């Protein structure tokens, strides 16, 4: 039996891959979807932490909860956020030295990012570190971040960023380094994305889009490395970080590795926070590379999009939160990568809406064309791949191209195997050293999670969540994805005997365009308001994805009063759809109905064409 490892030394062990060529489904568990009664699109949870009889979980409404691993009984619960602001928790807590640490999400809303460390036994807060400076005329926070924010970060910000929080949320990756007794934070984008609005178009805006190293006991600052200075592209540095010892110029070195959203693979000296090397792992057009001394990207002059600019990577990133893996056995890092450009354009009419989505980018530029063939061409631009990367030589060793741009996290085992799911639902095993495909299983819906492996009773299992989530699945590239069946946990073993239940997921209601005539002006106004306020959850072009309804098929579309009750008054607030009365006038609400009706007509025409063929 090969014991599974994700990042540990691969000593001993025989090649186990040949046995896993014949892996079978062992167990199927149906999952549930959480809901949140506020305007937040990304209703997800990236995991729990377990330590000494306690399991720790962050909730979408900002609580951190400790449960007994034996009984599930709640041991303590603490509110980690200010509930009057649009904070949420989507990341997993981490445990170290009798502390549990959690960050938060919401850097498109009205938040100021921070992490908090709590006592595992009592839930009492021990320290907090803010990632961006607060109001310069207010009193200091009285937290571990006070002095470094004042000294280093505040001089890199301009204007009134603090009125909207500034962003910089630590929404996913946090790593504990036992060797140096530190924690490293992956810090997200600023609020709003566009620096022109956020910080008068100036400054690095520390510590957004950075990795920050802190003392694990006190939260005191140790170093930072900013991947994307003055980030205006949603280039969060929240991707997972792998700590390893690599041979650098012939000597072993303690490093931190990240395949960052901005398209570059970074190897950083984790003692000092200085750059060892950086190289792009996906095509990129925004820099002439990374300066080896300063570590700063040599950015092109048009990247702050005074004129509309198509950038690669786009805001989805060359790699997002899907965990990459490192195999000490092969010395390679395995990156779930994607290629998806984004058209950035300054939004001259931007208004700040604290409970809605704020980028200060013209979101209508993301709207896919009405024409089905043009949409198909757009989707063809989007690619997903598994890349095996040599972190010492900074070069690709092999890659596996996927049918789907969005792919799941990676598991590397001591048996020279990799497991990875894909957005299209394939769950595959590869040889880690040369990328040869060994096995695959077609899951009932897309896979975005990372697999896990464990042994019980002398038997090895591989488990993965199948199911869609995340706002990206509603983007233009994803527009034709049909509704997926419920999320499932799939567990595999060599001699598994489970059978996947039949899925009845394809019974979507038909397009429901009302029998009314809207003016072209209404449709255009509606298109703009829809792109600004609705698209991030309900899909660009009103092409809905999975966890939120496809509005083109909604019965409310033909009933103006019902549409108004939902969109304006918040009749479905309990299900997560807030009312937009404070942001949209009655005629704008009606215009969104006109636009969605127009899109519903297109869908009906398309469906009729395809069924009469
Ligand atoms: Ca972000």
């Amino acid at each position: 039996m090969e014991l599974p490892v994700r990042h540990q030394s691969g000593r001993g062990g025989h090649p186990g891959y040949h046995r896993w060529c014949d892996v079978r489904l062992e167990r199927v568990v149906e999952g549930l979807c959480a809901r949140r009664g506020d305007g937040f699109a990304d209703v997800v949870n990236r995991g729990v932490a377990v330590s000494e009889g306690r399991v720790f979980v962050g909730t979408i409404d900002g609580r951190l909860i400790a449960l007994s691993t034996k009984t599930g009984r709640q041991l303590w619960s603490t509110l980690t956020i200010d509930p009057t602001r649009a904070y949420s928790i989507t990341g997993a807590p981490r445990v170290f030295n009798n502390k549990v640490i959690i960050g938060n999400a919401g850097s498109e809303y009205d938040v100021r990012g921070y992490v908090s460390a709590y006592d595992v036994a009592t839930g009492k807060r021990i320290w907090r570190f803010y990632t961006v400076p607060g109001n310069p005329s207010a009193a200091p926070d009285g937290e571990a971040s006070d002095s470094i924010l004042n000294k280093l970060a505040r001089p890199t910000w301009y204007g009134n960023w603090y009125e909207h929080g500034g962003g910089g949320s630590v929404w996913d990756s946090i790593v504990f380094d036992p060797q140096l007794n530190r924690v490293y934070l992956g810090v997200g984008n600023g609020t709003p994305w566009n620096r022109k609005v956020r910080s008068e178009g100036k400054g690095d805006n520390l510590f957004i889009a950075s990795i920050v190293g802190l003392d694990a006991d006190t939260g005191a600052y140790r170093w930072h490395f900013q991947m994307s200075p003055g980030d205006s592209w949603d280039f969060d540095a929240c991707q997972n970080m792998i700590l390893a010892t690599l041979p650098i110029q012939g000597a072993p070195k303690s490093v931190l590795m990240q395949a960052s959203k901005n398209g570059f693979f970074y190897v950083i000296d984790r003692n000092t926070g200085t750059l060892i090397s950086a190289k792009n792992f996906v095509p990129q057009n925004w820099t002439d590379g990374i300066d080896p001394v300063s570590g700063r990207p040599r950015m092109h002059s048009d990247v702050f999009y005074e004129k509309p600019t198509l950038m690669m990577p786009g805001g989805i990133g060359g790699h997002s939160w899907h965990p990459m893996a490192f195999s000490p056995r092969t010395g390679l890092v395995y990156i779930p990568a994607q290629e998806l450009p984004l058209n950035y354009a300054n939004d001259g009419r931007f208004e700040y809406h604290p409970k809605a989505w704020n980028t200060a980018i013209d979101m209508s530029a993301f709207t896919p064309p009405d024409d089905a063939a043009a949409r198909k061409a757009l989707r063809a631009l989007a690619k997903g791949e598994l890349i095996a990367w040599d972190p010492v030589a900074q070069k690709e060793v092999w890659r596996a191209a996927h049918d789907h741009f969005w792919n799941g996290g990676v598991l590397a085992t001591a048996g020279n195997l990799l497991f990875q799911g894909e957005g299209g639902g394939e769950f595959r095993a590869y040889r880690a050293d040369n990328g040869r495909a060994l096995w695959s299983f077609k899951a009932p819906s897309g896979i975005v999670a990372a697999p896990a492996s464990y042994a019980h009773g002398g038997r090895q299992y591989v488990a993965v969540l199948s199911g869609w989530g995340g706002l990206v699945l509603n983007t233009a590239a994803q527009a034709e994805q049909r509704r997926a069946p419920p999320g499932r946990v799939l567990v595999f073993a060599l001699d598994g005997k489970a059978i996947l239940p039949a899925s009845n997921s394809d019974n979507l209601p038909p397009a429901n365009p009302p029998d009314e005539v809207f003016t072209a002006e209404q449709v255009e106004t509606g298109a703009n308001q829809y792109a600004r306020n609705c698209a991030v959850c309900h899909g660009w072009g009103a092409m809905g994805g999975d966890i939120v309804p496809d509005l083109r098929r909604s019965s409310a579309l033909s009933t103006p009063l019902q549409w108004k009750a939902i969109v304006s008054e918040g009749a479905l607030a309990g299900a997560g759809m807030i009312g937009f009365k404070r942001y949209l006038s009655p005629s704008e609400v009606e215009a969104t109905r006109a636009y969605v009706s127009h899109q519903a007509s297109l869908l009906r025409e398309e469906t009729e064409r395809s069924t009469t063929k």
Side-chain angles (χ1 to χ4, degrees):
M1 180 66 55
E2 294 296 322
L3 282 180
V5 290
R6 194 170 278 163
H7 335 123
Q8 82 181 45
S9 73
R11 87 197 122 89
H14 307 288
Y17 62 82
H18 58 281
R19 299 168 54 201
W20 280 93
C21 294
D22 196 28
V23 56
R24 302 253 200 280
L25 188 64
E26 164 71 16
R27 222 167 282 159
V28 185
V29 184
E30 296 256 327
L32 292 171
C33 175
R35 287 189 190 279
R36 180 183 194 237
D38 209 342
F40 193 75
D42 214 2
V43 187
V44 296
N45 184 296
R46 294 189 178 82
V48 301
V50 177
S51 173
E52 295 179 2
R54 300 183 187 93
V55 54
F56 302 94
V57 60
T59 65
I60 195 80
D61 60 2
R63 289 165 294 152
L64 179 65
I65 297 173
L67 306 169
S68 158
T69 50
K70 278 219 171 95
T71 63
R73 187 171 64 85
Q74 181 175 305
L75 303 172
W76 54 259
S77 169
T78 185
L79 185 64
T80 70
I81 51 120
D82 172 356
T84 66
R85 307 183 85 160
Y87 283 104
S88 61
I89 295 177
T90 57
R94 269 76 165 183
V95 174
F96 56 91
N97 299 352
N98 296 317
K99 297 178 195 67
V100 52
I101 187 170
I102 188 74
N104 42 61
S107 284
E108 281 76 25
Y109 299 86
D110 60 344
V111 314
R112 178 182 172 209
Y114 59 86
V115 296
S116 318
Y118 297 88
D119 184 296
V120 289
T122 63
K124 189 169 170 288
R125 184 150 70 82
I126 298 167
W127 56 259
R128 174 168 288 177
F129 187 94
Y130 282 94
T131 56
V132 301
N135 186 342
S137 55
D141 303 309
E143 304 291 357
S145 42
D146 280 1
S147 63
I148 197 67
L149 287 180
N150 194 42
K151 186 177 145 201
L152 219 57
R154 191 159 290 152
T156 68
W157 288 80
Y158 297 87
N160 301 330
W161 79 91
Y162 47 87
E163 286 175 6
H164 308 311
S169 46
V170 181
W171 53 262
D172 185 22
S173 191
I174 302 172
V175 183
F176 172 58
D177 179 350
Q179 190 182 318
L180 298 169
N181 195 37
R182 286 187 190 150
V183 286
Y184 305 108
L185 319 176
V187 184
N189 58 280
T191 302
W193 290 6
N194 189 345
R195 187 180 67 170
K196 186 173 180 165
V197 174
R198 184 178 71 236
S199 180
E200 297 181 343
K202 296 182 286 192
D204 288 351
N205 296 176
L206 292 172
F207 295 107
I208 67 164
S210 306
I211 293 174
V212 180
L214 304 178
D215 180 273
D217 294 336
T218 63
Y221 168 91
R222 286 293 171 260
W223 57 256
H224 77 278
F225 184 93
Q226 190 174 41
M227 271 70 182
S228 305
D231 174 39
S232 287
W233 318 282
D234 195 25
F235 284 167
D236 310 90
C238 299
Q239 299 64 56
N240 69 309
M241 297 172 268
I242 292 177
L243 310 186
T245 302
L246 294 182
I248 303 291
Q249 293 176 332
K253 193 122 194 158
S254 301
V255 306
L256 179 156
M257 300 184 277
Q258 185 184 65
S260 207
K261 230 180 171 186
N262 72 9
F264 286 88
F265 187 91
Y266 291 88
V267 180
I268 292 168
D269 180 336
R270 64 181 204 261
N271 219 343
T272 59
T274 49
L275 181 70
I276 292 170
S277 62
K279 183 79 194 292
N280 61 303
F281 60 94
V282 288
Q284 63 87 26
N285 70 353
W286 67 290
T287 77
D288 284 326
I290 306 297
D291 184 278
V293 178
S294 67
R296 293 175 73 90
R298 293 189 282 244
M299 289 189 261
H300 294 159
S301 57
D302 58 355
V303 295
F304 289 97
Y305 44 88
E306 286 300 325
K307 286 185 216 154
T309 304
L310 191 74
M311 266 178 62
M312 180 75 104
I316 301 298
H319 167 225
S320 192
W321 53 266
H322 316 84
M324 61 180 188
F326 174 61
S327 168
R329 177 182 178 135
T330 62
L332 302 178
V333 173
Y334 302 94
I335 310 167
Q338 63 250 349
E339 298 177 25
L340 192 64
L342 187 62
N343 192 23
Y344 292 87
N346 181 46
D347 181 1
R349 294 177 297 180
F350 174 71
E351 284 171 24
Y352 183 71
H353 294 167
K355 299 294 178 213
W357 190 255
N358 296 279
T359 60
I361 288 170
D362 181 359
M363 304 294 269
S364 59
F366 302 173
T367 303
D370 285 349
D371 174 56
R375 280 207 304 278
K376 202 174 163 193
L378 191 69
R379 288 187 71 181
L381 275 180
K383 291 177 195 156
E385 57 237 345
L386 173 61
I387 299 176
W389 191 261
D390 180 337
V392 177
Q394 286 282 19
K395 65 167 201 215
E396 182 179 315
V397 176
W398 58 260
R399 73 165 57 197
H402 297 334
D403 299 337
H404 203 282
F405 85 94
W406 197 234
N407 50 129
V410 186
L411 170 75
T413 79
N416 193 27
L417 285 175
L418 295 181
F419 288 92
Q420 190 203 19
E422 297 175 23
E426 291 293 337
F427 185 50
R428 295 184 200 274
Y430 302 87
R431 261 186 77 132
D433 54 356
N434 64 15
R436 187 153 68 85
L438 300 171
W439 167 86
S440 78
F441 178 90
K442 177 76 177 160
S445 77
I447 297 174
V448 293
S453 183
Y454 57 94
H456 181 68
R459 194 170 182 222
Q460 185 177 0
Y461 299 87
V462 172
V464 71
L465 280 164
S466 145
W468 294 62
L471 53 94
V472 69
L473 296 172
N474 293 321
T475 59
Q478 198 43 54
E480 269 124 38
Q481 186 64 36
R482 303 300 301 270
R483 179 176 297 181
R488 290 192 169 101
V489 183
L490 305 173
V491 182
F492 300 88
L494 287 172
D495 50 356
K497 292 185 177 60
I499 293 167
L500 200 63
S503 138
N504 56 354
S505 59
D506 248 6
N507 301 324
L508 281 173
N512 185 37
D515 192 17
E516 287 174 63
V517 178
F518 297 99
T519 66
E521 197 188 341
Q522 272 182 307
V523 172
E524 200 198 325
T525 304
N528 280 324
Q529 293 300 343
Y530 180 91
R532 193 167 298 195
N533 297 289
C534 319
V536 72
C537 294
H538 286 283
W540 268 271
M543 299 170 195
D546 179 15
I547 54 173
V548 287
D550 184 333
L551 299 180
R552 300 171 299 174
R553 305 168 196 273
S554 166
S555 61
L557 204 48
S558 46
T559 318
L561 276 177
Q562 197 187 350
W563 187 266
K564 181 168 171 275
I566 297 168
V567 178
S568 186
E569 313 291 337
L572 296 180
M577 169 63 193
I578 62 162
F580 279 72
K581 198 179 191 168
R582 61 196 134 168
Y583 305 137
L584 295 175
S585 70
S587 68
E588 286 170 336
V589 170
E590 181 64 359
T592 60
R593 193 172 72 88
Y595 171 68
V596 177
S597 299
H598 173 71
Q599 296 303 94
S601 304
L602 295 176
L603 174 63
R604 185 157 71 184
E605 282 167 28
E606 230 172 80
T607 314
E608 281 168 2
R609 264 202 310 275
S610 65
T611 49
T612 54
K613 258 182 197 163

